[in-house]
Amino acid sequence: MGERWDGPKPLIGFIVGNEQTDDQISAEPKIKKLEPVLLPGEIVVNEVNFVRKCIATDTSQYDLWGKLICSNFKISFITDDPMPLQKFHYRNLLLGEHDVPLTCIEQIVTVNDHKRKQKVLGPNQKLKFNPTELIIYCKDFRIVRFRFDESGPESAKKVCLAIAHYSQPTDLQLLFAFEYVGKKYHNSASNMNGVPCESGGGGVSGPGAGSSQKTPLFETYSDWDREVKRTGASGWRVCSVNEGYMVSTCLPEYFVVPSSLADQDLKIFSHSFVGRRIPLWCWSHSNGSALVRMALIKDVLQQRKIDQRICNAITKSHPQRSDVYKSDLDKTLPNIQEIQAAFVKLKQLCVNEPFEETEEKWLSSLESTRWLEYVRAFLKHSAELVYMLESKHLSVVLQEEEGRDLSCSVASLVQVMLDPYFRTITGFQSLIQKEWVMSGYQFLDRCNHLKRSEKESPLFLLFLDATWQLLEQYPAAFEFSETYLAVLYDSTRISLFGTFLFNSPHQRVKQSTEFAISKNIQLGDEKGLKFPSVWDWSLQFTARERALFHNPVYIGKSTPCLQSSSMKSFRRTKKSYSSTLRAVPSSFRNGVLSDPELLPRRNSLVLKPKPDPQQQADGRGGDAEQYFRDWFSRPCDLHGVILPRLSAAHIKLWKLCYFRWVPEAQISLGGFITAFRKLSLLADEVDALSRTLRQQRGGALDAGCAEPAQSRMYFRAGGPQAHAAGTPEFLSSSFPFSPVGNLCRRSILGTPLSKFLSGAKIWLSTETLANED
Amino acid sequence: MGVNLSSMRRLRKRLPLSRQVPRLPPSRVSSMASASAPKCNSHTSENEPVKSTSQDGVNCDLNETVPRLPGETLITDKEVIYICPFNGPIKGRVYITNYRLYLRSLETDSTLIFDVPLGVISRIEKMGGATSRGENSYGLDITCKDMRNLRFALKQEGHSRRDMFEILTRYAFPLAHSLPLFAFLNEEKFNVDGWMVYNPVEEYRRQGLPNHQWRITFINKCYELCETYPALLVVPYRASDDDLRRVAAFRSRNRIPVLSWIHPENKMVIVRCSQPLVGMSGKRNKDDEKYLDVIRETNRQLSKLTIYDARPSVNAVANKATGGGYESDDAYHNAELFFLDIHNIHVMRESLKKVKDIVYPNVEESHWLSSLESTHWLEHIKLVLTGAIQVADKVSSGKSSVLVHCSDGWDRTAQLTSLAMLMLDSFYRSIEGFEILVQKEWISFGHKFASRIGHGDKNHADADRSPIFLQFVDCVWQMSKQFPTAFEFNERFLITILDHLYSCRFGTFLLNCESAREKQKVTERTVSLWSLINSNKEKFKNPFYTKEINRVLYPVASMRHLELWVNYYIRWNPRIKQQQPNAVEQRYMELLALRDDYIKRLEELQLANSSKVSSASTSPSSPSQMMPHVQTHF
């Protein structure tokens, strides 16, 4: 990041200890200057020299020497040693390859192997021994290990305590994003790094991607209004009752409600809902059915009446006055604690337990985590709601106690399945803004940025995983790649972006206003500080690297396709509404409509607790079953509805996400990425040809508007080794991530057969060590 | 498909619905109708001849009711009710020829068709008796070798079941009735002769053999040294034919160590054989010991020879009781022996049976992963792959030459050598290379296809049957999943091979060994499966294939990556069937077509422009300036 913050004094000469004869490191003393790269507002709080970063447990021959620092943003290991065996590094502009953001730290374990002691470090704790070793368990499944054999015992201890302290802050305003954004505001006058960052949406993708439009953040009236128009929702209006968060502090300032409900009614009703959460409109089908999310009505006496009023209003907003179908998510889906428990087990299984020992019972262990079962339950339930909206023409109301957890996932999945717009990068991001960020998903608590673990739950990851299942089943239906989803998941752990930092939009405004006042920052007209948005991907990746977000298989609406012998570009006229959704076969539509008996009656609609989610889709009698069968028997329209295949054999583990840091699980020179690369090369070539063709056709006429010949593909046809026969060395099933540098349990250089070495010194023995206090 | 549909409609006119058949409840009918469209695919194996009439040489005359191969004759047809495990009873007509069982539904809206070569039938049982009551309880139950069962209900009157049972039994198990297998009646003609694909001399020459250390011997020309080995063998130059004869006496069924593959650079070799006849008394044989030492010395390395005994050590010990055993340390000083823990044919058979239990007819949904684990199928796959990786790694790293055996050296040994060769030698990853690999390591070296598959044999419970070759193909599929660009062939190629492993349409997999095939003149009297495949190669090509020479493939043999081959094992279940063809492959093909189209248009434009430009002066976007941006793959 360009300008370096006024960091600490660069380090004294750094001499490699030459006692480490077994390390095959040159015994000659080397003198290096090791300086951390710091962001604006980032300060080094502690550091220690002569640290060894362990690369493998059974040998120290690949270990790296360097300096370990703890800043208020990250822990950073600075070394001049090249990373051994690593063939590729996917560079994040904010983080070096050995850096871990503080918010990504899950657990800190210090060990003294002479005294045979270990301790898990909490904040403000004392450490009675001098650690010889530090193991950091990261939330993104990495495990990093440092040894302090050659470092000053006191400084080693201090760094460990500093990391423990700074990674477990007591207050939200201590998260780095505040410092960073505060510095930006301060510097805006001296114009160090330009003006305070623009409000979020950021260029989504590289040039030439055709999606340079910004991601709607749904912070404004107009974003909601556009969404209402885009979906063609009549009978719904944007309301401003919550301006200044006057009604609810966990709702956005603007949201969409049935036109028939007046602001005054809403204000009255709001008192009866948990969190004063008035029902929120999410989306409307072209047939007029709406998707709505709603918190529970806590006022028992009023319950029936208000419920009736809301349902009537939703019915009124339906062009066919169709009924409302209510889905009680709390009764249907696993709760957030169960999901968290599943995730903990999954993580334990994937990265913590010894690779070889988990092999024999891998499948049943995976099953007993219940993670895949839960992913499937969410997909299944969402698919059933798609049926209600699409086939039964019913408006669907998602009910949940607070309406800000399971509802986020289900509402998002339903929309991903129904609306191809949400399968584009911009659309997907807008969906996350709409259903998660603005609707009050409690990122702060669920991601546990402040380490108050009891509220932690990986619902957002579960949603990304479910999306991945759809991507896996319909690879041509999504504009983004699985790399994009994994990077997005990682980005929730970088406490620089405002996107995933807060429990609600109101919290951002409130906290940052307080912060601004305490720091003397003039906010002017702004409502709180403008934090950088995660959607501004250029903060993290160069345009070239962002190209990996693009799925070369994607068949967008403007993607040229070959039709019979002649080539046509299906560039449809831009409508305010995604036109393909209207393409439901009319007979189908009418067929269902003409059968009034199939429509459930109002007020008798609360779902019974559902049968075992493991049963095949026979939930609501044969009709849903029939709908799914019909759907699967037709060729799939990628610009229309997509439904997940839900057999247990179809729900898979998202290997890229969960195995990318496990060296033993890496298929070198293999994995889907090798096919992805071939596709990219070809797609790139086709793009280049099409550009040339257009330019030639247009001749002098269009010469002015010729697009820059920039590719949207990461792997380019013109690239250096593009046409060399071989698969590039750096490709592996972990690509673009690399497990090198993450602790593994056997020699990485070993032959593919090298057995698990039990000689691993400390690693294995930690369990037998006495736990201090 | 069009042909089938139209002929069906005609058929329906001719065959009025029988009144005796109980009508299905309306909901059933409609659900069937809607689900029927994909059904016909799901029941017709992808690779069956029905759809591809011209290329496969199938005669599907419009006047015919059933597709027929040249040499195929219709024996009978019967009205039946097919008890579909997914959609309930479907009324249909079944046609039985000397090659296939062909069923067409007679339901108004249903287009169910399936086409089953009689060769896949493992067992035919009568269900229900004269006293049977209840709907559709009287009929036939057919167990197939390809992970499905077929059940037909028949009318009790008119002996229709007895007729059908007898005819099916006769033609599904011709060997029990002194009838020839269909392959010997098949008169299909292809423009490529698959029997020409494998020529051992040529294949050894490709490997650089003979050389100074290894020679080709014709000692087994008349299969006198070893009945189950091929005529042509590669042995150490320094071992005389007499030496070989003495070694043969000490190896089970005379299957002596011979070369399978040699590394082009380091000259390490993979050698295969059967177990030594050590017995309880721990017999030794100086000639065998010397012979192994000669093999070790062929590459002038001093490292020990590595022996991989594919069996679990317990089994190897137990084999001593029946005269077998393994190479002991004290007898073979210069060898190091490892057991690979791969279980025997009986364990594999039972394991696959369990797989069938959890996938057919319905997938065990509630505890899918633990059920899958309890079949141990993937665990076996893992052990086989792990063994092959070890062989490949030893050889490729130049650590030592490798000798592989199990008991008789025709099951696990074939799996290990062929998989290791597939990892080491990219040639075998091409379509023809793979055919050669199968032809060489499996067919010529006497994997007992006839016994393991039970071609035309009625003994369903034969303990000799075992899915060893299927397991090998599964391993290949696992590798192709991990390396999507490394193989020239696609999944369809593998499934086609497996379909014809059972079909008896081709001679390729018939009989147990080369000598038997020669006696029966199989290459003269039957057609090779490779004729079918090689005359229509495009269908079997993997679009992502990137030819790479000298790249060793090490798959990760971990449960984390091994998957059940859903498109094979669960292909009959319409709910499980995955998108066909694979969307990613399909997109790639579209892009290829698009590219060709663009190139054509560009060329046309340039032609047109150049005629214009030649008269006018240079334009900024002249074709010649733009063209350098255009990349072409080939």
PDB file of all heavy atoms in Angstrom, chain B residues 175-192:
ATOM      1  N   LEU B 175     -23.676 -70.572 -22.799  1.00  0.00           N
ATOM      2  CA  LEU B 175     -22.674 -71.614 -22.572  1.00  0.00           C
ATOM      3  C   LEU B 175     -23.283 -72.824 -21.869  1.00  0.00           C
ATOM      4  O   LEU B 175     -22.844 -73.953 -22.061  1.00  0.00           O
ATOM      5  CB  LEU B 175     -21.500 -71.061 -21.757  1.00  0.00           C
ATOM      6  CG  LEU B 175     -20.708 -69.944 -22.444  1.00  0.00           C
ATOM      7  CD1 LEU B 175     -19.447 -69.630 -21.649  1.00  0.00           C
ATOM      8  CD2 LEU B 175     -20.364 -70.303 -23.878  1.00  0.00           C
ATOM      9  N   ALA B 176     -24.318 -72.578 -21.065  1.00  0.00           N
ATOM     10  CA  ALA B 176     -24.971 -73.680 -20.365  1.00  0.00           C
ATOM     11  C   ALA B 176     -25.877 -74.471 -21.315  1.00  0.00           C
ATOM     12  O   ALA B 176     -26.397 -75.517 -20.954  1.00  0.00           O
ATOM     13  CB  ALA B 176     -25.774 -73.138 -19.191  1.00  0.00           C
ATOM     14  N   HIS B 177     -26.083 -73.940 -22.512  1.00  0.00           N
ATOM     15  CA  HIS B 177     -26.970 -74.605 -23.461  1.00  0.00           C
ATOM     16  C   HIS B 177     -26.243 -74.950 -24.747  1.00  0.00           C
ATOM     17  O   HIS B 177     -26.855 -75.095 -25.803  1.00  0.00           O
ATOM     18  CB  HIS B 177     -28.183 -73.719 -23.769  1.00  0.00           C
ATOM     19  CG  HIS B 177     -29.016 -73.424 -22.563  1.00  0.00           C
ATOM     20  ND1 HIS B 177     -28.717 -72.407 -21.676  1.00  0.00           N
ATOM     21  CD2 HIS B 177     -30.110 -74.048 -22.063  1.00  0.00           C
ATOM     22  CE1 HIS B 177     -29.605 -72.393 -20.703  1.00  0.00           C
ATOM     23  NE2 HIS B 177     -30.458 -73.387 -20.901  1.00  0.00           N
ATOM     24  N   SER B 178     -24.941 -75.022 -24.662  1.00  0.00           N
ATOM     25  CA  SER B 178     -24.102 -75.332 -25.821  1.00  0.00           C
ATOM     26  C   SER B 178     -24.376 -74.404 -26.995  1.00  0.00           C
ATOM     27  O   SER B 178     -24.383 -74.804 -28.153  1.00  0.00           O
ATOM     28  CB  SER B 178     -24.311 -76.788 -26.270  1.00  0.00           C
ATOM     29  OG  SER B 178     -24.242 -77.636 -25.184  1.00  0.00           O
ATOM     30  N   LEU B 179     -24.648 -73.185 -26.670  1.00  0.00           N
ATOM     31  CA  LEU B 179     -24.844 -72.191 -27.734  1.00  0.00           C
ATOM     32  C   LEU B 179     -23.635 -71.253 -27.727  1.00  0.00           C
ATOM     33  O   LEU B 179     -22.979 -71.084 -26.693  1.00  0.00           O
ATOM     34  CB  LEU B 179     -26.103 -71.380 -27.461  1.00  0.00           C
ATOM     35  CG  LEU B 179     -27.437 -72.082 -27.680  1.00  0.00           C
ATOM     36  CD1 LEU B 179     -28.565 -71.223 -27.140  1.00  0.00           C
ATOM     37  CD2 LEU B 179     -27.639 -72.363 -29.164  1.00  0.00           C
ATOM     38  N   PRO B 180     -23.336 -70.635 -28.853  1.00  0.00           N
ATOM     39  CA  PRO B 180     -22.199 -69.704 -28.885  1.00  0.00           C
ATOM     40  C   PRO B 180     -22.586 -68.373 -28.232  1.00  0.00           C
ATOM     41  O   PRO B 180     -23.761 -67.998 -28.217  1.00  0.00           O
ATOM     42  CB  PRO B 180     -21.950 -69.510 -30.371  1.00  0.00           C
ATOM     43  CG  PRO B 180     -23.268 -69.771 -31.017  1.00  0.00           C
ATOM     44  CD  PRO B 180     -23.976 -70.784 -30.162  1.00  0.00           C
ATOM     45  N   LEU B 181     -21.595 -67.671 -27.713  1.00  0.00           N
ATOM     46  CA  LEU B 181     -21.821 -66.315 -27.232  1.00  0.00           C
ATOM     47  C   LEU B 181     -22.138 -65.440 -28.436  1.00  0.00           C
ATOM     48  O   LEU B 181     -21.674 -65.700 -29.551  1.00  0.00           O
ATOM     49  CB  LEU B 181     -20.562 -65.792 -26.538  1.00  0.00           C
ATOM     50  CG  LEU B 181     -20.227 -66.465 -25.210  1.00  0.00           C
ATOM     51  CD1 LEU B 181     -18.794 -66.150 -24.799  1.00  0.00           C
ATOM     52  CD2 LEU B 181     -21.201 -66.016 -24.125  1.00  0.00           C
ATOM     53  N   PHE B 182     -22.902 -64.385 -28.206  1.00  0.00           N
ATOM     54  CA  PHE B 182     -23.329 -63.570 -29.350  1.00  0.00           C
ATOM     55  C   PHE B 182     -22.150 -63.015 -30.137  1.00  0.00           C
ATOM     56  O   PHE B 182     -22.229 -62.845 -31.353  1.00  0.00           O
ATOM     57  CB  PHE B 182     -24.249 -62.426 -28.906  1.00  0.00           C
ATOM     58  CG  PHE B 182     -24.647 -61.550 -30.051  1.00  0.00           C
ATOM     59  CD1 PHE B 182     -25.567 -61.993 -30.991  1.00  0.00           C
ATOM     60  CD2 PHE B 182     -24.059 -60.292 -30.232  1.00  0.00           C
ATOM     61  CE1 PHE B 182     -25.904 -61.199 -32.082  1.00  0.00           C
ATOM     62  CE2 PHE B 182     -24.398 -59.499 -31.316  1.00  0.00           C
ATOM     63  CZ  PHE B 182     -25.324 -59.955 -32.245  1.00  0.00           C
ATOM     64  N   ALA B 183     -21.063 -62.734 -29.448  1.00  0.00           N
ATOM     65  CA  ALA B 183     -19.896 -62.181 -30.140  1.00  0.00           C
ATOM     66  C   ALA B 183     -19.500 -63.022 -31.352  1.00  0.00           C
ATOM     67  O   ALA B 183     -18.999 -62.495 -32.357  1.00  0.00           O
ATOM     68  CB  ALA B 183     -18.726 -62.069 -29.175  1.00  0.00           C
ATOM     69  N   PHE B 184     -19.746 -64.296 -31.271  1.00  0.00           N
ATOM     70  CA  PHE B 184     -19.368 -65.164 -32.399  1.00  0.00           C
ATOM     71  C   PHE B 184     -20.405 -65.137 -33.520  1.00  0.00           C
ATOM     72  O   PHE B 184     -20.197 -65.697 -34.583  1.00  0.00           O
ATOM     73  CB  PHE B 184     -19.153 -66.596 -31.903  1.00  0.00           C
ATOM     74  CG  PHE B 184     -17.944 -66.732 -31.016  1.00  0.00           C
ATOM     75  CD1 PHE B 184     -18.076 -66.736 -29.632  1.00  0.00           C
ATOM     76  CD2 PHE B 184     -16.670 -66.806 -31.566  1.00  0.00           C
ATOM     77  CE1 PHE B 184     -16.964 -66.824 -28.810  1.00  0.00           C
ATOM     78  CE2 PHE B 184     -15.549 -66.904 -30.746  1.00  0.00           C
ATOM     79  CZ  PHE B 184     -15.686 -66.906 -29.364  1.00  0.00           C
ATOM     80  N   LEU B 185     -21.538 -64.517 -33.258  1.00  0.00           N
ATOM     81  CA  LEU B 185     -22.581 -64.407 -34.277  1.00  0.00           C
ATOM     82  C   LEU B 185     -22.659 -62.994 -34.855  1.00  0.00           C
ATOM     83  O   LEU B 185     -23.255 -62.769 -35.903  1.00  0.00           O
ATOM     84  CB  LEU B 185     -23.944 -64.766 -33.670  1.00  0.00           C
ATOM     85  CG  LEU B 185     -24.025 -66.139 -32.994  1.00  0.00           C
ATOM     86  CD1 LEU B 185     -25.337 -66.287 -32.240  1.00  0.00           C
ATOM     87  CD2 LEU B 185     -23.878 -67.250 -34.035  1.00  0.00           C
ATOM     88  N   ASN B 186     -22.059 -62.094 -34.124  1.00  0.00           N
ATOM     89  CA  ASN B 186     -22.111 -60.685 -34.502  1.00  0.00           C
ATOM     90  C   ASN B 186     -21.426 -60.468 -35.854  1.00  0.00           C
ATOM     91  O   ASN B 186     -20.277 -60.855 -36.044  1.00  0.00           O
ATOM     92  CB  ASN B 186     -21.416 -59.862 -33.410  1.00  0.00           C
ATOM     93  CG  ASN B 186     -21.549 -58.381 -33.632  1.00  0.00           C
ATOM     94  OD1 ASN B 186     -22.176 -57.941 -34.604  1.00  0.00           O
ATOM     95  ND2 ASN B 186     -20.963 -57.595 -32.740  1.00  0.00           N
ATOM     96  N   GLU B 187     -22.171 -59.853 -36.778  1.00  0.00           N
ATOM     97  CA  GLU B 187     -21.599 -59.633 -38.117  1.00  0.00           C
ATOM     98  C   GLU B 187     -21.345 -58.154 -38.382  1.00  0.00           C
ATOM     99  O   GLU B 187     -21.298 -57.718 -39.528  1.00  0.00           O
ATOM    100  CB  GLU B 187     -22.546 -60.209 -39.179  1.00  0.00           C
ATOM    101  CG  GLU B 187     -22.603 -61.724 -39.144  1.00  0.00           C
ATOM    102  CD  GLU B 187     -23.816 -62.289 -39.876  1.00  0.00           C
ATOM    103  OE1 GLU B 187     -24.474 -61.529 -40.620  1.00  0.00           O
ATOM    104  OE2 GLU B 187     -24.102 -63.478 -39.676  1.00  0.00           O
ATOM    105  N   GLU B 188     -21.206 -57.375 -37.314  1.00  0.00           N
ATOM    106  CA  GLU B 188     -20.952 -55.951 -37.497  1.00  0.00           C
ATOM    107  C   GLU B 188     -19.662 -55.723 -38.252  1.00  0.00           C
ATOM    108  O   GLU B 188     -18.707 -56.479 -38.105  1.00  0.00           O
ATOM    109  CB  GLU B 188     -20.804 -55.272 -36.122  1.00  0.00           C
ATOM    110  CG  GLU B 188     -22.091 -54.971 -35.433  1.00  0.00           C
ATOM    111  CD  GLU B 188     -21.818 -54.369 -34.074  1.00  0.00           C
ATOM    112  OE1 GLU B 188     -21.612 -55.138 -33.118  1.00  0.00           O
ATOM    113  OE2 GLU B 188     -21.794 -53.141 -33.981  1.00  0.00           O
ATOM    114  N   LYS B 189     -19.661 -54.649 -39.039  1.00  0.00           N
ATOM    115  CA  LYS B 189     -18.441 -54.268 -39.766  1.00  0.00           C
ATOM    116  C   LYS B 189     -18.047 -52.840 -39.347  1.00  0.00           C
ATOM    117  O   LYS B 189     -18.907 -51.975 -39.241  1.00  0.00           O
ATOM    118  CB  LYS B 189     -18.708 -54.272 -41.273  1.00  0.00           C
ATOM    119  CG  LYS B 189     -19.067 -55.636 -41.828  1.00  0.00           C
ATOM    120  CD  LYS B 189     -17.807 -56.442 -42.154  1.00  0.00           C
ATOM    121  CE  LYS B 189     -18.162 -57.790 -42.750  1.00  0.00           C
ATOM    122  NZ  LYS B 189     -18.797 -58.719 -41.747  1.00  0.00           N
ATOM    123  N   PHE B 190     -16.808 -52.644 -39.103  1.00  0.00           N
ATOM    124  CA  PHE B 190     -16.327 -51.297 -38.791  1.00  0.00           C
ATOM    125  C   PHE B 190     -15.199 -50.946 -39.736  1.00  0.00           C
ATOM    126  O   PHE B 190     -14.517 -51.844 -40.249  1.00  0.00           O
ATOM    127  CB  PHE B 190     -15.843 -51.230 -37.337  1.00  0.00           C
ATOM    128  CG  PHE B 190     -16.939 -51.384 -36.336  1.00  0.00           C
ATOM    129  CD1 PHE B 190     -17.227 -52.637 -35.793  1.00  0.00           C
ATOM    130  CD2 PHE B 190     -17.695 -50.306 -35.945  1.00  0.00           C
ATOM    131  CE1 PHE B 190     -18.242 -52.783 -34.873  1.00  0.00           C
ATOM    132  CE2 PHE B 190     -18.722 -50.450 -35.017  1.00  0.00           C
ATOM    133  CZ  PHE B 190     -18.998 -51.692 -34.482  1.00  0.00           C
ATOM    134  N   ASN B 191     -14.990 -49.654 -39.911  1.00  0.00           N
ATOM    135  CA  ASN B 191     -13.913 -49.283 -40.826  1.00  0.00           C
ATOM    136  C   ASN B 191     -12.529 -49.318 -40.156  1.00  0.00           C
ATOM    137  O   ASN B 191     -11.531 -49.021 -40.788  1.00  0.00           O
ATOM    138  CB  ASN B 191     -14.186 -47.912 -41.465  1.00  0.00           C
ATOM    139  CG  ASN B 191     -14.574 -46.893 -40.416  1.00  0.00           C
ATOM    140  OD1 ASN B 191     -14.280 -47.085 -39.226  1.00  0.00           O
ATOM    141  ND2 ASN B 191     -15.243 -45.830 -40.824  1.00  0.00           N
ATOM    142  N   VAL B 192     -12.523 -49.663 -38.904  1.00  0.00           N
ATOM    143  CA  VAL B 192     -11.242 -49.809 -38.211  1.00  0.00           C
ATOM    144  C   VAL B 192     -11.227 -51.199 -37.588  1.00  0.00           C
ATOM    145  O   VAL B 192     -12.250 -51.658 -37.089  1.00  0.00           O
ATOM    146  CB  VAL B 192     -11.132 -48.777 -37.058  1.00  0.00           C
ATOM    147  CG1 VAL B 192      -9.766 -48.850 -36.407  1.00  0.00           C
ATOM    148  CG2 VAL B 192     -11.429 -47.368 -37.556  1.00  0.00           C
TER     149      VAL B 192
END
